[in-house]
Amino acid sequence: MDHISLNRAYLETLTTEALVRLGDEFGVDIPPALNRRLIIGELLEVQDEFYSNAPASSSFADALPQGSTDTVPESYNETQINILLRDPGWIFVYWDFRSVEFSACTSQRGFESFGLRVSFFEDKNLSQLKDSYNIAVSPSDRKWYVHLSEHCCFCRVDLLSMCSLNRDTVLAQSNIVGVPPVAGIEIPKSGSVREAPLLSLSGINDLRKKHWRNHRQSFL
């Protein structure tokens, strides 16, 4: 049987667990929580040595995880966050954690949740902050759509570990995206919309303010 040539593109499609199993098959000593990029580098080096020393009939095929070429790994074991502009009113935020760092945060005394700090700046150099707010997310979350409260500016999102006993810890910072100047219907930020006397008795004004403070989007 002809051998299969491993390449970085293929190895990137494997889960970290599958990479570790593949390393075990060829005697690669992989320490716990080793960065997956280093694991891939080790496997590529082992492949080069294997092919240079093994007969032409030798193969890596038996050691490759079966049926995993079309799957997308759930985690790359890296703490990172990225944002994409969906349209002038929303961004898509997705993030991941390094397993050791995730465990250290969630086991920390006083840990409350992870969070997203959405910040808006006047220019791409991030020299002047226009507005900033936090969104709490659960440990199982890995993606969110976030409403944009500012326009004609630049946006960045920080991944936070939120703890009641200490200041929030920034785990990772996203790329920067430009927010277009037009984003549809504008909602007054002050929350000072006056309701009819009867409707105001329901507490809707406080609800509007709380919803804006927590989510930076209108309550309809």
Side-chain angles (χ1 to χ4, degrees):
M1 181 185 298
D2 294 336
H3 64 250
I4 302 174
S5 178
L6 293 178
N7 56 61
R8 185 173 296 275
Y10 169 73
L11 293 175
E12 288 284 1
T13 67
L14 303 182
T15 64
T16 301
E17 182 180 356
L19 291 172
V20 172
R21 288 200 305 268
L22 186 58
D24 290 341
E25 290 288 338
F26 292 93
V28 179
D29 185 17
I30 300 177
L34 182 67
N35 186 292
R36 61 179 284 109
R37 292 180 180 175
L38 297 180
I39 297 176
I40 290 174
E42 289 290 334
L43 290 173
L44 292 175
E45 290 183 9
V46 169
Q47 177 189 228
D48 292 341
E49 295 177 2
F50 181 85
Y51 286 155
S52 62
N53 298 328
S57 60
S58 298
S59 172
F60 255 7
D62 294 337
L64 294 176
Q66 298 300 314
S68 59
T69 56
D70 297 327
T71 60
V72 177
E74 295 183 0
S75 173
Y76 287 101
N77 198 34
E78 294 182 8
T79 302
Q80 58 179 335
I81 183 169
N82 296 278
I83 58 177
L84 298 171
L85 184 71
R86 192 192 74 168
D87 57 42
W90 295 86
I91 55 172
F92 178 65
V93 187
Y94 61 99
W95 61 94
D96 195 8
F97 297 97
R98 190 175 178 217
S99 59
V100 171
E101 194 167 9
F102 179 88
S103 299
C105 290
T106 54
S107 62
Q108 183 182 16
R109 184 169 174 265
F111 173 79
E112 293 183 332
S113 69
F114 291 106
L116 307 176
R117 176 175 294 154
V118 186
S119 300
F120 301 95
F121 300 88
E122 293 283 358
D123 54 62
K124 196 172 184 179
N125 295 325
L126 313 184
S127 59
Q128 184 174 350
L129 181 68
K130 294 183 65 175
D131 190 19
S132 179
Y133 56 90
N134 294 346
I135 301 172
V137 297
S138 73
S140 61
D141 288 329
R142 292 295 181 274
K143 55 189 176 183
W144 266 62
Y145 279 104
V146 175
H147 181 262
L148 297 173
S149 62
E150 297 285 343
H151 313 112
C152 196
C153 61
F154 292 87
C155 178
R156 187 189 72 199
V157 181
D158 299 343
L159 179 61
L160 307 176
S161 175
M162 306 173 76
C163 180
S164 61
L165 302 180
N166 301 296
R167 291 184 177 180
D168 298 341
T169 301
V170 177
L171 303 177
Q173 293 183 330
S174 76
N175 53 304
I176 302 167
V177 298
V179 182
V182 179
I185 300 175
E186 297 291 338
I187 305 298
K189 297 182 184 180
S190 63
S192 60
V193 177
R194 300 192 65 177
E195 305 291 348
L198 183 60
L199 187 57
S200 64
L201 293 176
S202 68
I204 193 171
N205 287 328
D206 290 338
L207 184 58
R208 286 182 186 276
K209 293 177 182 179
K210 182 178 180 181
H211 193 78
W212 175 263
R213 184 171 62 250
N214 294 336
H215 303 288
R216 286 304 199 278
Q217 65 186 91
S218 62
F219 176 77
L220 301 177

